[in-house]
């Protein structure tokens, strides 16, 4: 006999609880969507620091120390959390890894394990729903919202962090994260200012709380500003961008378009004049024997990416330009018909077997009306290609927009040869348009054609 279900036990469907992030936010439940712990540390604590700053005078020594410690903890994130652990773009000795884990913890941005896991997901699923801080969800969301609002961890894309789980420094820091945060985030900056020049409270407020706030906001700009402001010299399919302002704010992380294309490169800035103190720090540590195996993408591959993006932009611009009617779409004209129309007042001129209507251009011809009129109703190929004047590239391009037909006979064979070449051999851009380079216009002859007049 089958036993009756126990009414006191929940049904199977009830055991699958829906995450709050997957429910609609309303006036009644909005507070449930907020990650109050993160709000406290990211917003509440800095606000308290700002209030305390009104009552605590800022000493010059404390200000200098706060800036120095800002760079230490900032580099803990950029050189440590980001380039060393998230991307494995170089290797570091144990003392350097311990130091980066400590000062990185002083930035109060989560443990290495948590930070690197989300960042790898960000790279793998950039601009998608699996990206933990996708800028597609809004600039404010990518900067701050993804932390102060609860996220369903099951929605974040999967990544492999086996290497992090096998790193004893990463494991130790993750297990002792709160102790590291309190010690390196608040106690150490306060101790240095207090024991150094007696400014205990100033060290706590300025080198501690407010310094944490500025380091956090700088890092958040990599998630937001670096995906919104600047150029895309290597790829424009996703949002990452390069900009000097973001680089200045983020200790060199602002060349983000390059970084997303070549994430395992220990550099973000590849030009000598670009601001990337993180790169310089890693390089210096290599000279000191603290870092090694600095990874760089081959310059050949980097330049290929740059050229491909330039070509893509050129193709987009080319698609907006008028290159004239393709040869195979032009009507065929008899020579006698061409001559007759020219005699009846239509400004037709034949060059390389292609008929052009220059009626509206006669008055604007730089060489004068008489010169261009002398070629109407004739084969002006030699005249146009050096017999009278060796016309410029711009002249050939302008002439292509005036095509109205091709002559049967009188160059017809060459015309159809060229038409066939246009359809089979000419390089086409991604929009399908022919790429007509300078000197390859159909009216351009390889060599000036000698004529009796020219001789």
């Amino acid at each position: 006999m089958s036993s009756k279900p126990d009414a006191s036990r929940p049904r199977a469907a009830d055991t699958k609880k829906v995450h709050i992030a997957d429910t609609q936010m309303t006036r009644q439940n909005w507070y449930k969507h907020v990650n109050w712990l993160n709000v406290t540390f990211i917003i509440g604590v800095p606000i308290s620091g700002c209030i305390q700053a009104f009552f605590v005078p800022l000493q010059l020594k404390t200000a200098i120390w706060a800036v120095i410690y800002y760079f230490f903890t900032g580099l803990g994130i950029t050189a440590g959390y980001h380039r060393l652990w998230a991307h494995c773009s170089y290797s570091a000795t144990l003392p350097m890894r311990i130091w980066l884990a400590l000062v990185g913890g002083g930035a109060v941005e989560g443990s290495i394990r948590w930070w690197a896991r989300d960042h790898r997901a960000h790279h793998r699923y950039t601009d998608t729903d699996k990206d933990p801080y996708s800028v597609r969800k809004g600039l404010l969301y990518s900067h701050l919202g993804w932390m102060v609002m609860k996220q369903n961890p099951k929605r974040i894309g999967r990544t492999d962090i086996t290497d992090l789980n096998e790193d004893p420094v990463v494991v130790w820091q993750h297990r002792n994260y709160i102790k590291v945060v309190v010690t390196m985030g608040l106690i150490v900056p306060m101790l240095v200012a207090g024991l150094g020049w007696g400014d205990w409270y100033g060290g706590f407020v300025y080198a501690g709380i407010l310094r944490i706030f500025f380091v956090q906001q700088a890092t958040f700009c990599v998630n937001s500003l670096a995906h919104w402001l600047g150029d895309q010299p290597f790829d424009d399919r996703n949002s990452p961008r390069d900009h000097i302002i973001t680089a200045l704010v983020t200790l060199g992380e602002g060349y983000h378009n390059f970084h997303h294309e070549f994430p395992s490169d220990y550099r973000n800035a590849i030009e000598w004049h670009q601001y990337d103190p993180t790169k310089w720090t890693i390089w210096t540590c290599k000279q000191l024997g603290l870092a090694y195996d600095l990874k760089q993408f081959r310059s050949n591959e980097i330049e290929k990416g740059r050229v491909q993006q330039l070509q893509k932009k050129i193709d987009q611009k080319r698609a907006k330009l008028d290159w004239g009617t393709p040869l195979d779409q032009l009507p065929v004209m008899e020579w006698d018909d061409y001559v007759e129309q020219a005699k009846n007042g239509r400004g037709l001129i034949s060059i390389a077997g292609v008929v052009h209507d220059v009626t509206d251009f006669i008055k604007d011809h730089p060489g004068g009306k008489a010169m261009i009129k002398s070629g109407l109703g004739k084969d002006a190929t030699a005249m146009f290609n050096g017999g009278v004047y060796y016309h410029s590239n711009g002249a050939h391009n302008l002439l292509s927009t005036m095509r109205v037909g091709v002559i049967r006979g009188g160059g017809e064979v060459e015309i159809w040869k060229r038409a066939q070449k246009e359809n089979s051999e000419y390089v086409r851009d991604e929009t399908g348009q022919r790429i007509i380079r300078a000197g390859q216009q159909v009216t351009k002859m390889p060599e000036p054609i000698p004529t009796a007049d020219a001789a």
Side-chain angles (χ1 to χ4, degrees):
M1 294 179 61
S2 60
S3 58
K4 295 182 179 181
D6 187 350
S8 64
R9 301 178 69 179
R11 290 176 294 180
D14 296 335
T15 60
K16 296 182 179 180
K17 187 177 180 181
V18 179
H19 194 278
I20 186 64
D22 296 330
T23 63
Q24 185 177 3
M25 185 186 299
T26 65
R27 291 184 179 180
Q28 288 72 33
N29 73 353
W30 67 269
Y31 63 93
K32 295 182 180 180
H33 286 261
V34 179
N35 187 325
W36 291 107
L37 180 63
N38 284 353
V39 168
T40 300
F41 284 107
I42 297 174
I43 299 177
V45 173
I47 289 177
S48 71
C50 291
I51 295 174
Q52 294 177 71
F54 282 101
F55 307 98
V56 181
L58 175 60
Q59 297 184 25
L60 178 59
K61 292 180 180 179
T62 303
I64 295 173
W65 163 236
V67 172
I68 293 174
Y69 201 52
Y70 168 88
F71 274 88
F72 280 166
T73 53
L75 288 169
I77 297 297
T78 60
Y81 279 39
H82 188 207
R83 304 193 196 184
L84 175 60
W85 281 297
H87 293 296
C88 304
S89 63
Y90 69 100
S91 299
T93 60
L94 181 61
M96 183 174 178
R97 283 171 29 232
I98 293 174
W99 169 249
L100 290 173
L102 289 173
V103 292
V108 193
E109 296 183 16
S111 69
I112 297 167
R113 185 178 182 276
W114 174 85
W115 197 102
R117 183 251 180 252
D118 271 13
H119 191 71
R120 289 180 182 182
H122 166 66
H123 271 263
R124 187 176 183 183
Y125 304 100
T126 304
D127 297 339
T128 70
D129 289 338
K130 293 184 179 182
D131 182 348
Y133 29 87
S134 172
V135 77
R136 303 296 186 203
K137 298 178 182 178
L139 186 65
L140 185 59
Y141 179 87
S142 63
H143 186 81
L144 199 63
W146 69 280
M147 285 177 294
V148 299
M149 305 302 292
K150 291 180 180 177
Q151 286 196 79
N152 185 348
K154 294 182 179 180
R155 300 291 183 188
I156 300 175
R158 292 185 177 183
T159 56
D160 180 13
I161 56 171
T162 305
D163 58 317
L164 301 179
N165 292 332
E166 295 174 350
D167 188 327
V169 174
V170 174
V171 174
W172 173 84
Q173 196 231 36
H174 187 72
R175 290 176 178 173
N176 300 276
Y177 179 66
I178 298 301
K179 295 177 183 177
V180 173
V181 164
V182 174
T183 302
M184 300 301 296
L186 298 172
I187 294 178
V188 167
M190 180 176 65
L191 281 176
V192 171
L195 296 175
W197 49 91
D199 190 13
W200 296 89
Y201 205 1
F204 178 77
V205 173
Y206 294 106
I209 295 176
L210 294 183
R211 186 264 320 158
I212 290 173
F213 171 73
F214 285 112
V215 169
Q216 288 177 343
Q217 295 305 311
T219 304
F220 300 162
C221 283
V222 181
N223 303 333
S224 57
L225 201 62
H227 286 260
W228 178 73
L229 175 67
D231 301 321
Q232 296 177 300
F234 297 97
D235 195 2
D236 62 0
R237 291 174 298 172
N238 292 319
S239 60
R241 298 169 181 273
D242 289 358
H243 203 282
I244 180 60
I245 291 179
T246 317
L248 292 172
V249 171
T250 61
L251 300 184
E253 303 281 42
Y255 301 100
H256 213 51
N257 191 254
F258 171 86
H259 173 62
H260 268 255
E261 281 296 293
F262 312 102
S264 63
D265 198 308
Y266 87 96
R267 308 163 299 172
N268 261 208
I270 57 175
E271 305 296 342
W272 69 269
H273 55 83
Q274 293 175 323
Y275 180 76
D276 188 357
T278 303
K279 174 187 69 176
W280 303 331
T281 299
I282 296 171
W283 182 87
T284 301
C285 288
K286 177 188 177 183
Q287 310 311 309
L288 297 175
L290 296 172
Y292 57 96
D293 191 22
L294 276 58
K295 297 177 182 176
Q296 294 186 37
F297 260 81
R298 293 169 55 193
S299 59
N300 183 70
E301 309 314 309
I302 293 173
E303 289 308 309
K304 281 198 293 190
R306 197 197 304 270
V307 169
Q308 286 170 334
Q309 182 62 11
L310 286 172
Q311 187 64 59
K312 186 175 182 179
K313 291 180 179 179
I314 290 172
D315 291 346
Q316 292 170 349
K317 182 172 288 188
R318 180 186 293 109
K320 300 176 182 179
L321 302 176
D322 177 11
W323 296 92
T325 305
L327 294 178
D328 56 358
Q329 296 178 22
L330 292 172
V332 178
M333 300 177 66
E334 300 294 337
W335 177 263
D336 292 341
D337 183 38
Y338 157 68
V339 174
E340 184 67 25
Q341 289 190 45
K343 286 182 178 180
N344 291 333
R346 190 178 181 190
L348 298 182
I349 190 169
S350 174
I351 299 175
V354 182
V355 179
H356 306 81
D357 190 338
V358 297
T359 305
D360 296 332
F361 182 70
I362 293 175
K363 63 180 184 302
D364 298 320
H365 185 236
K369 296 179 182 180
M371 190 63 69
I372 193 171
K373 283 183 176 181
S374 67
L376 299 182
K378 301 176 183 178
D379 184 348
T381 305
M383 180 189 301
F384 194 76
N385 281 277
V388 173
Y389 178 70
Y390 198 59
H391 283 76
S392 67
N393 183 61
H396 284 277
N397 285 334
L398 177 61
L399 193 63
S400 69
T401 64
M402 304 177 189
R403 297 173 180 170
V404 294
V406 293
I407 298 295
R408 185 189 302 281
E412 176 191 4
V413 174
E414 287 302 316
I415 287 299
W416 295 126
K417 280 184 179 178
R418 294 188 182 209
Q420 185 178 15
K421 185 176 181 180
E422 283 185 346
N423 288 326
S424 60
E425 296 181 14
Y426 269 47
V427 178
R428 294 179 179 271
D429 64 25
E430 63 177 14
T431 66
Q433 283 197 320
R434 294 175 293 113
I435 298 178
I436 304 174
R437 306 193 189 283
Q440 292 183 346
Q441 296 92 337
V442 67
T443 51
K444 184 84 170 179
M445 295 291 102
E447 296 291 339
I449 300 175
T451 64
D453 292 340

